[in-house]
Amino acid sequence: MRPEFRELIRKEYHHLGTTFFNTAYFGPSPYSAKQKVARSLQKELDPSFYDYNTWMGISERMRTLIAKILGCSPDNISHQTSSSDVVNVVANGYPFKEGDIVCAVDKDYPSNVLPWMLAEKNTPCKFQLLNLGNEILPSVEWLKKNLPKETKIFDISWVTFDTGKKVDILGIGKLCRERNILFVVDSTQALGGMPISQEELSTIDVLTCSTYKWMLGPYGTAFAYFSDRAIELIQHRNANWILSPNSRVVYNLLDYTTETLPGARCYDRGQASNMLANSCLEAGLELIDEIGLENIAEHNAELRDYFLENYPKNKYHLITPREAMGNILALKARDLDSITLERELKFRNVDISVRQGNLRISFHLFNTQDQVDQLISALDI
Amino acid sequence: MRPEFRELIRKEYHHLGTTFFNTAYFGPSPYSAKQKVARSLQKELDPSFYDYNTWMGISERMRTLIAKILGCSPDNISHQTSSSDVVNVVANGYPFKEGDIVCAVDKDYPSNVLPWMLAEKNTPCKFQLLNLGNEILPSVEWLKKNLPKETKIFDISWVTFDTGKKVDILGIGKLCRERNILFVVDSTQALGGMPISQEELSTIDVLTCSTYKWMLGPYGTAFAYFSDRAIELIQHRNANWILSPNSRVVYNLLDYTTETLPGARCYDRGQASNMLANSCLEAGLELIDEIGLENIAEHNAELRDYFLENYPKNKYHLITPREAMGNILALKARDLDSITLERELKFRNVDISVRQGNLRISFHLFNTQDQVDQLISALDI
């Protein structure tokens, strides 16, 4: 990390009250969010003479910023409330035929499972949860054997929420392209902590991302990338006058049309130009854009590897496989129970996730090597 | 208005920078929103040790507050992003059969029209826009004649957004009950500025409300009331683990189920427990709840009637019919064009809507008789 970035991050994260390694639960927003949110709150408190176009332009300015980070056109970006709701858009808008199969991997986060369970009740599709058995993760070879040939959609988390396993989205994406499978990737536990390459993105049809974790935005917003192919295939099922070309001129309110603005805008949530959430999101995205996802990933990996070298191996064993690591590590305490662990970590003012004897540790841009030392020493209970 | 309420309102609205009569465009949030939003922003900036249940409980606490104001059970309330999205929930979840008709009134706000135009493409329903012809508004008698007998859903704004005409929702609701029509009411331009009676609510199946106008909340949130009958009829089409009974215990994440929490919760938007928007909404709702909708309506009507007595009648004629008035008045300038009007009103620091020679004036709880005098004098151009 270049010194000026270190300095910027230090300023943006001087407010954290703990040794915080818990981004996989909730990523803290940078300090610049404070002024931005105050400014947008001012509009809520006093909307006097608030210009319609400046207001409605918020969602477009955010779309452009998201597109810049992903390296795509704003036409491929949609505003959503959650990753689940993106998958629901796909599940409700895909033209399923009898015999079509949707696949996901058992134990994946519910947002990649529940929308398909519901779709199975409401559409002609069948949903299959692939059981990994003894496999560590779904490799391309394993999927070649296990994806039924009637598969039309495959939906998977890029990095698993619990153990932090990172799958080979490029390899899987190429397989999906070969088989003409719509490839849905939940990037919530990855993007922001690591970059996405143009080659990876080119194999993905729908990329979902909740912004309150690695993207350092607020809880309550998500975005999605839809490929041109996905936009052509997936019918939007929510109508809204803000999504129509008429909405550019407020007087045209009564020229009813279901025609929509270009690209993935047709899938937007209602009232996407909400100022409170977007101003907080903007702070996170601008910081990520300034520092760059490559630099962030490098920093995070350095901290993670430093931790791996130095953590008390006699007290914990590593669950996350070394060959498939993102920015999340899962460890299991050899002797300590969750209640003791939680209590002792709080006593040491260290925030990481503890669930059923498992630790989940997240490394993100605001963490420092000093903090990793504090974490290591706190774990040496 | 009791003196202690006047004092409370004065404190909550000392920050408005204009003589503001534009709630039908964007209602200002009370000053107490500032501290509440600052508190929730603090969680976004530093989520250290943020308790999962306290966090997820936000949407339930808001649901309870909304239900209290409406006088219904929290089980009948759903969190949404916009009025359109509520209507989309109905349009996508209603079990339409061939020959079913949905009706709305021509010139109504697009959120009560576009979802049905889209539903006509995706479901077996037919959509009919009723043309008022020479009628001032859709009366019960007129609807008796003009609602086709195959009508299954009737969707209307309680108060029209442009001219402020208030329809007889109780009478229409009774007619809908008689004919077994699902009655959808958009209360966005009414509720918050006027109360809803238990009798009125009992005839409504789906009541939608965007919160950023008369409810004094933020842009980007809406809520809906769903009657028990509506909940039974309308299938939810968005799955989300937060909506499942399992979500009460975060460890149950992988017990996949499409079972949902009781009542209208199944229709909730994703990430409904978002703290920024909800904290701003809470400020508006608490103020409304404290003062009471009856008191607010009385105050607003007094100001409106005072205006009606004293405005310069030689320069404007009244469009809103006296027998169907809410808190919005529409006037038409006899000689002045929009450009002159807008310029002169801004020069006088008065914020009201001006569109194509029409004025739209909104009277809400923070307005005073002094301000009405300022408004009247400003209009005397």
Side-chain angles (χ1 to χ4, degrees):
Chain A
M1 190 72 79
R2 277 153 51 184
E4 69 268 31
F5 289 152
R6 278 189 209 276
E7 182 52 27
L8 173 63
I9 293 166
R10 202 194 54 75
K11 272 167 58 185
E12 287 286 14
Y13 283 96
H14 67 282
H15 59 276
L16 281 173
T18 60
T19 306
F20 190 87
F21 287 93
N22 210 355
T23 298
Y25 177 65
F26 197 143
S29 293
Y31 198 72
S32 56
K34 200 163 177 168
Q35 201 166 31
K36 284 177 190 286
V37 171
R39 212 147 47 207
S40 65
L41 177 62
Q42 192 48 40
K43 293 291 178 202
E44 296 287 356
L45 291 171
D46 186 6
S48 295
F49 299 136
Y50 192 20
D51 179 72
Y52 175 78
N53 293 304
T54 311
W55 175 15
M56 288 303 133
I58 292 174
S59 64
E60 273 315 288
R61 295 192 294 276
M62 294 305 294
R63 205 185 308 275
T64 304
L65 184 51
I66 294 163
K68 186 180 173 207
I69 290 171
L70 287 179
C72 67
S73 159
D75 289 355
N76 295 100
I77 300 298
S78 170
H79 293 293
Q80 300 288 335
T81 61
S82 69
S83 272
S84 293
D85 276 358
V86 179
V87 182
N88 286 313
V89 165
V90 183
N92 287 319
Y94 187 90
F96 286 114
K97 295 195 193 71
E98 210 62 52
D100 285 353
I101 291 178
V102 176
C103 283
V105 179
D106 197 19
K107 313 279 185 225
D108 203 343
Y109 198 75
S111 50
N112 305 309
V113 174
L114 302 187
W116 305 116
M117 286 172 67
L118 194 63
E120 200 174 34
K121 295 182 181 180
N122 295 315
T123 76
C125 81
K126 291 283 159 214
F127 176 53
Q128 281 190 20
L129 265 181
L130 305 177
N131 191 312
L132 278 175
N134 292 324
E135 298 290 312
I136 289 168
L137 47 72
S139 65
V140 177
E141 286 312 307
W142 185 84
L143 283 168
K144 268 187 189 162
K145 281 181 229 139
N146 286 279
L147 277 174
K149 70 173 187 331
E150 301 84 357
T151 306
K152 296 294 171 197
I153 299 179
F154 179 56
D155 181 356
I156 192 169
S157 288
W158 187 356
V159 171
T160 60
F161 76 100
D162 46 359
T163 54
K165 285 184 291 192
K166 187 175 77 168
V167 303
D168 172 15
I169 53 163
L170 181 58
I172 300 173
K174 284 179 176 169
L175 175 66
C176 287
R177 273 283 184 270
E178 274 166 38
R179 297 197 182 180
N180 203 26
I181 294 170
L182 193 90
F183 187 31
V184 180
V185 174
D186 185 344
S187 72
T188 299
Q189 292 291 10
L191 198 71
M194 58 178 77
I196 186 160
S197 72
Q198 289 309 295
E199 201 186 359
E200 284 166 335
L201 197 62
S202 74
T203 70
I204 294 172
D205 289 298
V206 181
L207 184 87
T208 82
C209 187
S210 280
T211 65
Y212 73 103
K213 295 181 189 278
W214 299 87
M215 298 303 281
L216 311 171
Y219 186 66
T221 69
F223 61 81
Y225 161 89
F226 286 82
S227 69
D228 293 344
R229 187 173 86 118
I231 294 167
E232 209 157 296
L233 263 175
I234 299 161
Q235 168 79 33
H236 76 286
R237 296 294 296 259
N238 286 356
N240 190 323
W241 104 276
I242 295 296
L243 309 180
S244 80
N246 288 347
S247 68
R248 289 300 166 87
V249 182
V250 73
Y251 303 147
N252 291 341
L253 206 62
L254 296 178
D255 285 348
Y256 302 136
T257 176
T258 55
E259 203 192 326
T260 52
L261 289 165
R265 291 172 181 85
C266 66
Y267 311 116
D268 273 9
R269 54 158 284 178
Q271 300 185 2
S273 279
N274 63 98
M275 44 282 271
L276 285 173
N278 278 309
S279 56
C280 184
L281 177 57
E282 190 182 42
L285 295 182
E286 281 184 349
L287 183 66
I288 285 170
D289 180 46
E290 179 158 0
I291 298 173
L293 287 172
E294 297 282 354
N295 289 326
I296 295 168
E298 196 184 320
H299 170 82
N300 297 353
E302 273 171 26
L303 292 188
R304 181 198 66 204
D305 293 343
Y306 178 79
F307 174 86
L308 284 172
E309 274 168 41
N310 298 291
Y311 79 96
K313 296 177 187 64
N314 56 330
K315 294 189 175 156
Y316 306 89
H317 69 261
L318 184 64
I319 293 171
T320 316
R322 282 185 187 262
E323 66 277 18
M325 275 180 181
N327 298 307
I328 300 169
L329 290 182
L331 291 92
K332 192 161 185 63
R334 294 184 195 273
D335 298 314
L336 293 159
D337 61 286
S338 280
I339 293 168
T340 311
L341 268 168
E342 271 199 63
R343 186 190 61 219
E344 294 299 318
L345 286 165
K346 281 195 172 164
F347 194 77
R348 288 157 175 82
N349 202 31
V350 171
D351 190 345
I352 63 176
S353 278
V354 181
R355 282 186 198 174
Q356 298 168 305
N358 294 312
L359 308 179
R360 184 181 61 176
I361 306 170
S362 309
F363 301 89
H364 207 356
L365 80 173
F366 46 80
N367 292 126
T368 62
Q369 194 173 308
D370 278 356
Q371 288 176 349
V372 179
D373 285 331
Q374 287 164 40
L375 169 65
I376 290 167
S377 124
L379 288 175
D380 201 4
I381 300 165
Chain B
M1 190 72 78
R2 277 152 52 183
E4 67 268 31
F5 290 153
R6 278 190 209 276
E7 183 52 28
L8 174 63
I9 293 167
R10 202 194 52 75
K11 272 167 59 186
E12 287 286 13
Y13 283 96
H14 68 281
H15 60 275
L16 279 173
T18 60
T19 305
F20 190 86
F21 287 94
N22 210 356
T23 298
Y25 177 64
F26 197 144
S29 294
Y31 198 70
S32 55
K34 199 163 178 168
Q35 202 166 29
K36 286 178 188 285
V37 171
R39 213 149 45 208
S40 65
L41 177 63
Q42 192 49 39
K43 291 293 178 202
E44 295 287 356
L45 290 171
D46 186 6
S48 296
F49 299 136
Y50 192 18
D51 179 71
Y52 175 79
N53 293 303
T54 311
W55 174 16
M56 289 303 133
I58 292 173
S59 64
E60 272 316 289
R61 296 192 294 276
M62 294 306 294
R63 205 186 309 275
T64 304
L65 184 51
I66 293 163
K68 187 181 172 205
I69 290 171
L70 288 180
C72 67
S73 159
D75 289 356
N76 296 100
I77 301 298
S78 170
H79 293 293
Q80 300 288 334
T81 60
S82 70
S83 272
S84 293
D85 276 358
V86 179
V87 182
N88 286 313
V89 164
V90 184
N92 287 319
Y94 187 89
F96 287 115
K97 295 194 191 71
E98 211 62 53
D100 286 352
I101 290 178
V102 177
C103 283
V105 180
D106 196 19
K107 313 278 185 227
D108 202 344
Y109 197 75
S111 50
N112 305 310
V113 173
L114 302 187
W116 306 117
M117 287 172 66
L118 194 62
E120 200 174 34
K121 296 184 181 180
N122 295 314
T123 75
C125 82
K126 291 283 159 216
F127 176 52
Q128 280 190 21
L129 265 181
L130 304 177
N131 191 312
L132 278 175
N134 292 324
E135 298 291 312
I136 289 167
L137 47 73
S139 65
V140 177
E141 285 312 306
W142 186 83
L143 283 169
K144 269 186 188 162
K145 281 181 229 139
N146 287 279
L147 277 174
K149 70 172 187 332
E150 301 85 356
T151 307
K152 296 293 171 198
I153 299 179
F154 179 57
D155 180 357
I156 192 169
S157 288
W158 187 355
V159 171
T160 60
F161 76 100
D162 46 0
T163 55
K165 286 184 290 193
K166 186 174 77 169
V167 303
D168 172 15
I169 53 163
L170 182 59
I172 300 173
K174 285 178 176 170
L175 175 66
C176 288
R177 273 283 184 269
E178 274 166 38
R179 297 198 182 178
N180 203 26
I181 294 170
L182 193 90
F183 188 31
V184 179
V185 175
D186 185 346
S187 72
T188 300
Q189 293 291 10
L191 198 71
M194 58 177 76
I196 186 160
S197 72
Q198 288 310 294
E199 201 187 358
E200 284 167 333
L201 197 61
S202 74
T203 70
I204 293 172
D205 290 297
V206 181
L207 184 86
T208 81
C209 186
S210 279
T211 65
Y212 73 103
K213 296 182 189 277
W214 300 87
M215 298 303 280
L216 311 171
Y219 186 66
T221 70
F223 61 81
Y225 161 89
F226 286 81
S227 70
D228 293 344
R229 187 174 87 118
I231 294 166
E232 209 157 296
L233 263 175
I234 299 160
Q235 168 80 32
H236 76 287
R237 298 294 297 259
N238 286 356
N240 190 324
W241 104 275
I242 296 295
L243 308 181
S244 79
N246 288 348
S247 68
R248 289 300 165 88
V249 182
V250 73
Y251 304 147
N252 292 341
L253 205 63
L254 296 178
D255 285 346
Y256 302 136
T257 175
T258 55
E259 204 192 324
T260 52
L261 289 166
R265 291 172 182 86
C266 66
Y267 311 117
D268 273 9
R269 54 159 285 178
Q271 300 185 3
S273 278
N274 63 96
M275 44 283 271
L276 285 173
N278 278 309
S279 56
C280 184
L281 177 57
E282 190 182 40
L285 295 182
E286 281 182 350
L287 184 66
I288 285 171
D289 180 46
E290 180 157 359
I291 298 173
L293 286 172
E294 297 282 356
N295 290 325
I296 294 168
E298 196 184 319
H299 169 82
N300 296 353
E302 272 171 27
L303 292 188
R304 182 197 65 204
D305 293 343
Y306 178 79
F307 175 85
L308 284 172
E309 273 168 43
N310 298 292
Y311 78 96
K313 297 178 185 62
N314 57 331
K315 295 189 174 156
Y316 306 89
H317 69 262
L318 185 62
I319 293 171
T320 316
R322 282 183 188 263
E323 67 277 18
M325 274 181 181
N327 298 308
I328 300 169
L329 291 182
L331 291 93
K332 192 161 185 63
R334 294 184 195 273
D335 297 315
L336 292 159
D337 60 286
S338 280
I339 292 167
T340 311
L341 268 168
E342 270 198 64
R343 187 189 60 219
E344 294 298 320
L345 286 165
K346 280 195 172 164
F347 193 76
R348 289 158 175 80
N349 203 30
V350 172
D351 190 346
I352 63 175
S353 279
V354 182
R355 282 185 198 174
Q356 298 168 304
N358 294 312
L359 308 179
R360 184 180 62 176
I361 306 171
S362 309
F363 301 89
H364 207 357
L365 79 174
F366 47 80
N367 292 125
T368 63
Q369 195 174 306
D370 279 356
Q371 288 176 348
V372 178
D373 285 332
Q374 287 165 41
L375 169 65
I376 289 166
S377 124
L379 288 175
D380 201 4
I381 299 166

